């Protein structure tokens, strides 16, 4: 079949996920490195962090409940239910390699403690005044657990939603849950604000990596958006 001049000089079609801007990975990673350096070096950013914590902290029952949404026993089952639904849907639709998204999300969740625990030991940061004396508060494990569990669940469920409104609603619910946990942890005095911000950065890198992987995974009938 002859090739037209337009086809001959047309740029190659980008693969799914190839248009994701580099800042989605680079900017959070750079900010995380900066905050970690300030924590390890006891830099001036920590003085600002402590002043901000004194302004924001004010324990109440509502903040306690919000912080509990970041518990492993609450957030991880949500991801497990979303993974089960994604696997059943893929099996029903006859999608090849149906277990890849589920396995990828599970591995990402397992990676959270594998990264957070060594970082806590490395930085050895003391906690805010409202918690018992101790160290190992940076970064926030509850924030990272909530972000990766709820964010991973959203990424698994998005391809099954047919309308843009439904997809936006799911992403909004995920964001509200993560922000709620973050607010609860700082308000209750369980973490410094920078502990939470650092976990946002770490989770952004992890979830963007999962998004890029899922964008290259076959969807039912070749449809669905990562």
């Amino acid at each position: 079949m002859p090739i037209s001049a337009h086809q001959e000089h047309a740029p190659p079609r980008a693969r799914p996920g190839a248009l994701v801007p580099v800042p989605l990975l680079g900017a959070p990673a750079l900010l995380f490195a900066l905050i970690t350096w300030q924590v390890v070096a006891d830099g001036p950013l920590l003085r600002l962090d402590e002043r901000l914590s004194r302004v924001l902290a004010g324990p109440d029952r509502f903040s306690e409940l919000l912080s509990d949404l970041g518990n492993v026993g609450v957030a991880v089952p949500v991801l497990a239910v979303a993974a089960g639904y994604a696997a059943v849907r893929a099996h029903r639709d006859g999608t090849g390699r149906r277990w890849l998204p589920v396995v990828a999300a599970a591995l990402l969740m397992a990676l959270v403690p594998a990264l957070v625990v060594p970082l806590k030991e490395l930085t050895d940061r003391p906690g805010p005044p409202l918690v018992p004396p101790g160290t190992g508060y940076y970064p926030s494990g509850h924030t990272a657990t909530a972000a990766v569990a709820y964010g991973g669940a959203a990424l698994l469920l998005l391809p099954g939603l047919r309308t843009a409104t439904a997809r936006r609603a799911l992403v909004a619910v995920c964001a509200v849950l993560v922000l709620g946990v973050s607010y609860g942890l700082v308000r209750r005095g369980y973490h410094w604000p920078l502990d939470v911000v650092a976990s946002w950065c770490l989770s952004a890198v992890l979830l963007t990596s999962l998004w890029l992987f899922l964008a290259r995974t076959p969807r039912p009938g070749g449809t669905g958006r990562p």
Side-chain angles (χ1 to χ4, degrees), residues 194-209:
L194 279 182
D195 299 345
V196 170
V197 174
S199 287
W200 287 351
C201 297
L202 181 62
S203 301
V205 173
L206 294 176
L207 289 172
T208 300
S209 301

Side-chain angles (χ1 to χ4, degrees), residues 15 109 111 129 203 209 213 217 226:
R15 293 177 298 173
M109 191 72 250
L111 193 59
S203 301
S209 301
F213 175 80
T217 303

Side-chain angles (χ1 to χ4, degrees), residues 83-98:
Y85 172 80
V88 169
R89 181 175 179 274
H91 177 74
R92 181 193 64 197
D93 294 331
T95 309
R97 299 191 296 176
R98 67 178 70 95

Side-chain angles (χ1 to χ4, degrees), residues 67 84 111 158 183 198:
S67 65
L111 193 59
L158 280 174
Y183 170 82

Side-chain angles (χ1 to χ4, degrees), residues 48-97:
L48 176 62
D49 190 35
E50 292 166 0
R51 289 198 296 270
L52 183 59
S53 178
R54 287 193 290 270
V55 172
L56 296 177
D60 52 50
R61 180 58 179 165
F62 182 60
S63 62
E64 179 84 26
L65 293 174
L66 286 176
S67 65
D68 287 344
L69 294 175
N71 289 341
V72 170
V74 177
V76 173
V78 173
L79 176 61
V81 170
Y85 172 80
V88 169
R89 181 175 179 274
H91 177 74
R92 181 193 64 197
D93 294 331
T95 309
R97 299 191 296 176

